[in-house]
Amino acid sequence: RGDVGATARCLVLVTPDAQRTMNTFLGAAQQLDARDIDAAHIADAGILYLEGYLWDPPAPRAAMEAAIDAARGAGRKVAFTLSDTFCVDRHKADFWRLIENKRIDILFANEAELAAMTGEAEFDAGLQALAPKVPLLVVTRSEQGAVALANGEHASVPAEPIDKLVDTTGAGDLFAAGFLAGQARGLGLEPSLKLGAIAAAEVIQHYGARPEQDLKVLAGGLL
């Protein structure tokens, strides 16, 4: 649509203990709006994946609502990640609205986001508060692995062993990518969690959020 603004940029600072902080400029991403949604492309995908990070600006928020409508209309699943505790702090009411209106099929969170969303500091209490509200809840726990709950079924996997922790940037994104790859192929909760753990383990062993090894090779017989 003509001039869509500057390309988004993100300055990531990584500490010696592999933690990171980000200074992000959303650029053109915050100009995405409902007119940019291609319902045919969404209908061609098994799962629509949305980021809580873009819930701040009104236009991308409307675009995500339109994308959910398109996915729902095509009988596709909607996956949503809470993204960060600051997103939950700002938009908890909206996120709960999406959940309670049954517009989310797969919800991703980490431990801190789970606590912020539910108000429960204890992990199991947080699971009990949120899991019954969504068809599939996936919660990552860093070095403690990850869990998934769906319709009374519970699965968990440990974190994959690594040689050295270098940079945690992209760990959540790669985990979600691996898990959704499994779900899109009809795999169960545990193998999907395993794929997520494998992908996350790869990306945290080097700088940057893009894999440097072939994830399909690392996945072995799971794919």
Side-chain angles (χ1 to χ4, degrees), residues 79-146:
F80 190 90
T81 175
L82 297 177
S83 294
D84 197 286
T85 53
F86 82 79
C87 295
V88 177
D89 291 340
R90 292 178 184 175
H91 306 296
K92 183 189 293 187
D94 272 354
F95 292 168
W96 272 114
R97 175 181 58 81
L98 292 174
I99 292 168
E100 290 167 351
N101 290 344
K102 302 187 184 305
R103 291 170 65 77
I104 296 174
D105 300 291
I106 305 170
L107 181 66
F108 288 93
N110 62 27
E111 283 189 277
E113 294 155 6
L114 176 69
M117 192 68 182
T118 63
E120 298 285 355
E122 204 275 324
F123 181 68
D124 287 337
L127 291 181
Q128 292 171 15
L130 189 52
K133 305 292 187 180
V134 289
L136 173 51
L137 173 65
V138 183
V139 184
T140 56
R141 309 188 70 190
S142 300
E143 69 275 8
Q144 296 183 61

Side-chain angles (χ1 to χ4, degrees), residues 47 77 106 136 175-196 219 222-223:
I47 303 171
K77 290 183 178 180
I106 305 170
L136 173 51
F175 182 92
F179 184 87
L180 292 175
Q183 289 291 288
R185 288 163 174 77
L187 301 184
L189 294 183
E190 188 170 336
S192 295
L193 287 171
K194 179 77 170 177
L195 286 171
L222 288 173
L223 291 178

